[in-house]
Amino acid sequence: MTERNAPIPATPTASGRRCPICGKPAAPRHQPFCSARCADIDLGRWLKGNYRVETEEAPPDADDRDAG
Ligand SMILES: [Zn+2]
């Protein structure tokens, strides 16, 4: 049997992750964001995107219909 030891490359920065919102180095407390503010922004975008999916589709049969 052979032991496989993957050599870990030295990381240039303290944290390998960066805030996807502003690009700043992510904070360990708000990973993967740099601050609670950025985390909130991302959450808002995510929610909006979710809602859009449902409203984007139009009713298939709601043109010639009279309640009668
Ligand atoms: Zn940020």
Side-chain angles (χ1 to χ4, degrees), residues 36-61:
R37 195 187 171 97
C38 280
D40 209 44
I41 292 170
D42 187 78
L43 185 69
R45 285 183 185 175
W46 190 81
L47 286 173
K48 274 190 180 180
N50 242 11
Y51 283 125
R52 260 183 82 178
V53 174
E54 261 192 73
T55 55
E56 238 198 273
E57 216 172 314
D61 218 280

Side-chain angles (χ1 to χ4, degrees), residues 19-25 33-35 37-39:
C19 178
I21 303 299
C22 66
K24 282 184 185 176
F33 309 99
C34 71
S35 62
R37 195 187 171 97
C38 280

